[in-house]
Amino acid sequence: MTLINSITRADGSVLRTYKSAKNGNITHILRFDIAGQNISSKTVKCDAKGIPYKVIDAAKNRYDVYVKAEDGSTVLTSKGKKVSFPNLVFNTVCEKIFGK
């Protein structure tokens, strides 16, 4: 993957955007580092058009994966359990987790 953009935000986090040379898919990674230690990261995987389909929210004791279902709802996988949220639109989850 090729780094196409890197932004340091006011809170010290770094937002990097990568693009795949193979299929053109885009990946946004938001990392929170303190003293060089990765505290947490949030990853949004998008297709070549920039439409998100998967969010990974990872921290020291947490690894949550949100996946867009075919109907646009959200499926959360956390600690080996899958929970479906039929009334929760996936793009809303992306905005809340990723913090626009």
Side-chain angles (χ1 to χ4, degrees):
M1 288 210 281
T2 305
L3 178 66
I4 58 174
N5 196 5
S6 181
I7 299 170
T8 302
R9 296 170 57 172
D11 62 0
S13 61
V14 178
L15 174 64
R16 291 188 177 107
T17 303
Y18 298 90
K19 188 165 188 169
S20 172
K22 287 183 187 178
N23 53 17
N25 287 356
I26 299 169
T27 302
H28 304 282
I29 301 173
L30 180 62
R31 289 178 51 118
F32 296 92
D33 295 333
I34 296 177
Q37 299 281 336
N38 183 19
I39 301 303
S40 70
S41 66
K42 299 169 193 248
T43 304
V44 176
K45 296 190 176 228
C46 305
D47 63 10
K49 296 178 184 176
I51 300 170
Y53 63 87
K54 186 177 193 178
V55 175
I56 300 170
D57 187 7
K60 184 176 181 181
N61 296 319
R62 184 187 74 241
Y63 189 83
D64 299 333
V65 179
Y66 299 84
V67 179
K68 184 176 186 177
E70 288 183 21
D71 62 355
S73 64
T74 304
V75 176
L76 167 63
T77 303
S78 180
K79 297 182 182 179
K81 297 180 182 177
K82 285 190 177 188
V83 180
S84 179
F85 298 101
N87 296 327
L88 190 57
V89 178
F90 183 77
N91 290 348
T92 303
V93 172
C94 290
E95 289 174 6
K96 295 284 184 193
I97 290 178
F98 208 66
K100 292 186 183 181

